Amino acid sequence: MSTTDDSYIAVKETKTSGMSARQKWWHILDNYKIGIIPLPFFLLAGVLILLDCLNGKLPSDIVVMVATLAFFGFACGEFGKRLPVVGKLGAAAICATFIPSAMVHYGLLPDVVVDSTVKFYKSTNILYLYICCIIVGSIMSMNRQVLIQGFMRIFVPMLCGEIVGMMAGMVMGTALGLPPVQTFFFLILPIMAGGVGEGAIPLSMGYATILHMEQGVALGRILPIVMLGGLTAIVLAGVLNQLGKRYPHLTGEGSLMPTKEGNIGSGTDEFQGNPGVNALACGALLAILLYMVGMLGQKWIGLPAPVGMLFAAVLVKLANGISPTIQHGSMTVYKFFRTAVTYPVLFAVGVAITPWQELINAFTVQNLLVIVTTVLALVGTGFYVGKKIGMHPIDVAIVSCCQSGQGGTGDVAILTSGNRMTLMPFAQIATRIGGAINVSVGLFVLAKFFS
């Protein structure tokens, strides 16, 4: 050990040696953590969950599940962060999602934990609460000018990325000797379909009708490709985040557009101090009410509820319909969910809706080459086009990653990996709207020429 290390330890021991027992305890609580959880709290949560499991019943109510999801989610995320090299490339989000999935498959997670997590996830729709607070909070914290310019310009790199990605995927599939129909409709299109609920399932229904095959068979071929595309995007987002740290002039650190003043234009600088409890409550209620507006839009015109909520939030922001105090509260709610809820939600997603065996089955060399080529071309084009039209290229490229994600859950994992959760509104456009267009056009072409 070097002299510098010895000096550091001596100083640290001096700082703690003069503390009382109470101060030492407080020092442990404040400085030793798993994720955001103080180590003593983490150990206590583990003991309490273990006792419930030994009794054969883990309640699925929100009180117990908050502790359970936090314990496992932050444990998996912390493990991913501490992995050498890949820990900085999005491994935390990957581990928080796929380690639970593998544990369920191999029987390493107690059945009572699995059953309670699945029941809680499906009965509460916690993912939608998370997404609505993230979307509304990030929109309310944006600079209005940047918001307008971002929404107007983001479609250009998105469209270019999809065209180039599809072409690159087809070239790779052809070079590998794969039939063009198989390459496009069972590899490339599922990657850009917008996830599972809005992408893989409608695609499988369309394939079943047009190609006269069982929907279960079609879904079994599509779903693993969606998952692998999302996994590739998570890794790329982590790489882009590290690239932004090395070349800061290429990124807005969560903002798509530079401002005239030359800063990142997030708009958060206008919110200073503590917003107060009332503003926090109003900010959370605003997110929920706007999501309910989105649900009405889905019922009346078929627009997905998160997209309807997104447009409603943008209109409210542009019309200055919410006071700065409540906007500040909304931004603070967003920060809370980003910090405290992301990894618990990813753990629940891994347990409840991420089939490990299907992911493994898709790990063939041909599939991987086509998928990686497609996603790389899509993201690289987003980077290049974004830079050419005056946007921050790394942030645009991370939004492009979401075009090949697993819907809302994929957006969460990708933006967590890229440390750009403020881009959630644009990620939802890429996933929901882009995916819906791809599915509709793809099924139309399939029915027109191959039925």
Side-chain angles (χ1 to χ4, degrees):
M1 185 177 292
S2 66
T3 306
T4 304
D5 292 334
D6 290 337
S7 301
Y8 171 78
I9 293 172
V11 170
K12 188 171 182 180
E13 287 176 352
T14 302
K15 287 182 178 179
T16 58
S17 62
M19 294 181 180
S20 65
R22 180 189 300 172
Q23 289 173 325
K24 288 181 179 179
W25 173 247
W26 291 345
H27 180 78
I28 292 172
L29 289 176
D30 291 339
N31 294 280
Y32 296 91
K33 298 182 179 182
I34 303 296
I36 66 166
I37 308 175
L39 183 59
F41 290 7
F42 181 81
L43 296 175
L44 177 60
V47 170
L48 295 174
I49 293 168
L50 177 62
L51 291 175
D52 279 334
C53 291
L54 292 175
N55 289 331
K57 185 177 181 181
L58 183 69
S60 60
D61 60 79
I62 190 169
V63 175
V64 176
M65 292 313 298
V66 165
T68 303
L69 299 185
F71 176 83
F72 287 105
F74 283 111
C76 293
E78 190 71 19
F79 174 79
K81 287 180 182 178
R82 294 182 179 274
L83 291 175
V85 183
V86 295
K88 296 182 179 180
L89 302 179
I94 293 172
C95 290
T97 306
F98 292 103
I99 286 180
S101 175
M103 292 176 70
V104 171
H105 178 76
Y106 295 111
L108 301 177
L109 203 60
D111 291 340
V112 288
V113 174
V114 175
D115 294 340
S116 296
T117 301
V118 172
K119 183 177 179 181
F120 174 79
Y121 179 84
K122 293 186 175 180
S123 64
T124 60
N125 279 334
I126 187 174
L127 179 65
Y128 287 99
L129 174 64
Y130 176 90
I131 289 177
C132 74
C133 288
I134 289 290
I135 288 178
V136 173
S138 58
I139 287 176
M140 292 303 155
S141 65
M142 282 184 184
N143 178 284
R144 290 175 72 251
Q145 180 183 359
V146 172
L147 180 64
I148 295 171
Q149 292 178 346
F151 272 98
M152 290 176 62
R153 295 195 189 186
I154 191 61
F155 290 100
V156 178
M158 281 174 51
L159 178 60
C160 294
E162 289 199 352
I163 294 173
V164 175
M166 289 178 180
M167 293 173 60
M170 288 298 295
V171 170
M172 177 58 71
T174 302
L176 294 172
L178 297 174
V181 173
Q182 176 187 337
T183 301
F184 183 80
F185 290 102
F186 286 94
L187 291 177
I188 297 173
L189 188 57
I191 295 172
M192 304 181 187
V196 179
E198 296 85 356
I201 292 177
L203 270 183
S204 66
M205 295 173 64
Y207 290 175
T209 301
I210 298 170
L211 301 177
H212 308 291
M213 60 190 303
E214 294 290 334
Q215 183 185 352
V217 174
L219 185 60
R221 292 179 61 182
I222 293 171
L223 191 58
I225 305 305
V226 174
M227 295 172 63
L228 281 178
L231 180 59
T232 305
I234 293 171
V235 174
L236 283 180
V239 173
L240 287 165
N241 181 41
Q242 293 303 309
L243 186 65
K245 293 179 179 179
R246 187 166 184 177
Y247 302 102
H249 66 283
L250 295 176
T251 179
E253 290 294 338
S255 176
L256 294 176
M257 301 293 304
T259 61
K260 293 180 180 179
E261 292 78 11
N263 58 33
I264 64 172
S266 64
T268 58
D269 292 339
E270 62 189 88
F271 302 125
Q272 301 292 337
N274 190 336
V277 176
N278 184 65
L280 285 173
C282 291
L285 182 60
L286 172 65
I288 293 170
L289 292 176
L290 289 176
Y291 183 74
M292 294 175 69
V293 171
M295 292 175 65
L296 285 178
Q298 184 172 8
K299 181 179 179 181
W300 291 341
I301 62 177
L303 191 68
V307 177
M309 173 191 64
L310 188 156
F311 288 146
V314 170
L315 290 175
V316 169
K317 174 70 176 182
L318 296 182
N320 284 322
I322 301 297
S323 69
T325 301
I326 297 179
Q327 290 185 49
H328 192 183
S330 181
M331 184 190 72
T332 306
V333 170
Y334 150 77
K335 288 183 176 180
F336 167 78
F337 272 81
R338 181 191 63 187
T339 303
V341 185
T342 298
Y343 291 112
V345 164
L346 289 177
F347 171 80
V349 166
V351 171
I353 61 171
T354 307
W356 178 256
Q357 188 58 52
E358 293 185 5
L359 179 68
I360 296 302
N361 291 341
F363 264 97
T364 66
V365 174
Q366 289 180 322
N367 285 352
L368 285 174
L369 287 174
V370 173
I371 291 170
V372 172
T373 299
T374 301
V375 178
L376 276 174
L378 189 158
V379 174
T381 303
F383 182 99
Y384 177 79
V385 174
K387 186 176 182 180
K388 285 294 183 182
I389 62 176
M391 305 176 78
H392 291 301
I394 287 178
D395 302 272
V396 174
I398 290 177
V399 172
S400 297
C401 288
C402 296
Q403 292 179 260
S404 54
Q406 290 179 247
T409 59
D411 291 343
V412 173
I414 291 166
L415 297 182
T416 300
S417 174
N419 194 29
R420 299 292 192 284
M421 198 61 75
T422 51
L423 296 175
M424 179 62 82
F426 304 102
Q428 288 287 296
I429 290 177
T431 303
R432 309 284 182 176
I433 298 179
I437 293 174
N438 290 336
V439 170
S440 301
V441 173
L443 290 178
F444 173 80
V445 172
L446 185 67
K448 188 75 173 177
F449 297 102
F450 299 101
S451 60

